[in-house]
Amino acid sequence: PKPNIGVHTDATNWSEWPYCDLIMRYESYDFIDVPGYDTVNHPTSAFIDFFPFSDFDAIFLVISGKIRGSDEDISQCLQKSGTNFFIIRNFCESLKNDETKLITEDISDRLLPQFPKIPFPGVAPNLIQKKIGFKENKIIFISNRTKEGVEKVWNSINSCVD
């Protein structure tokens, strides 16, 4: 039978098994893989209230499909924490170029910081953001199958570590 996967199932349930291995070491880096949020055992509110976002050099928020309200809530929390964060959109091998562009715009609009209006006469704030490449550098499309995007993830990690 097909497995029942959804908000009622968690691959890692740290509330029931406190010894689960969430920390992985690779070379001189420590990676912490936390269970997904917005599930029965890991509600988004618990992450927002208790997760130490500001204790990390960088956080990678991984999304697979449609952006949900919980993704927006976590993104806002990351913005308030001041921690470097990146949005990883996985399964990119299944996307066409026009879909990638639309997804980039959606992620940009919904999950990345919106700059306040800058008083440059005749220049729209989003044009300034585009010129400096801020948003484009925060979104990484990745494929576990083809390894697309892996180098960009490493570059992002290295840009955040002293």
Side-chain angles (χ1 to χ4, degrees):
K2 285 185 167 181
N4 180 16
I5 298 174
V7 297
H8 299 288
T9 58
D10 287 310
T12 305
N13 187 347
W14 57 8
S15 63
E16 289 181 8
W17 189 45
Y19 303 105
C20 58
D21 194 10
L22 300 175
I23 301 173
M24 288 142 287
R25 185 172 243 334
Y26 178 76
E27 296 180 0
S28 63
Y29 301 100
D30 290 327
F31 293 92
I32 293 94
D33 182 14
V34 297
Y37 51 86
D38 198 25
T39 65
V40 171
N41 292 323
H42 305 109
T44 304
S45 60
F47 274 86
I48 289 170
D49 292 341
F50 301 110
F51 192 80
F53 292 101
S54 59
D55 289 351
F56 297 93
D57 293 320
I59 293 179
F60 292 84
L61 180 61
V62 180
I63 57 175
S64 299
K66 291 183 180 182
I67 297 172
R68 302 171 303 172
S70 57
D71 298 320
E72 292 175 295
D73 294 341
I74 293 293
S75 173
Q76 288 174 5
C77 194
L78 283 165
Q79 291 173 48
K80 288 177 188 172
S81 76
T83 299
N84 287 310
F85 75 97
F86 301 86
I87 308 295
I88 292 182
R89 170 51 163 88
N90 61 6
F91 301 112
C92 74
E93 71 274 5
S94 63
L95 301 173
K96 297 179 179 113
N97 283 340
D98 57 334
E99 291 174 316
T100 302
K101 185 177 187 258
L102 290 171
I103 291 169
T104 299
E105 290 172 4
D106 192 34
I107 290 172
S108 242
D109 292 343
R110 296 177 63 190
L111 299 181
L112 293 177
Q114 300 300 314
F115 289 102
K117 299 222 181 285
I118 303 171
F120 292 118
V123 180
N126 61 350
L127 180 63
I128 294 168
Q129 293 172 43
K130 262 192 174 178
K131 289 242 183 244
I132 62 173
F134 173 78
K135 291 188 174 190
E136 290 78 7
N137 291 330
K138 293 287 190 177
I139 302 170
I140 303 169
F141 286 85
I142 192 166
S143 167
N144 292 332
R145 184 178 305 146
T146 66
K147 305 301 182 217
E148 180 181 339
V150 171
E151 186 175 342
K152 190 168 182 183
V153 170
W154 276 113
N155 291 339
S156 301
I157 291 169
N158 289 322
S159 75
C160 296
V161 179
D162 296 328

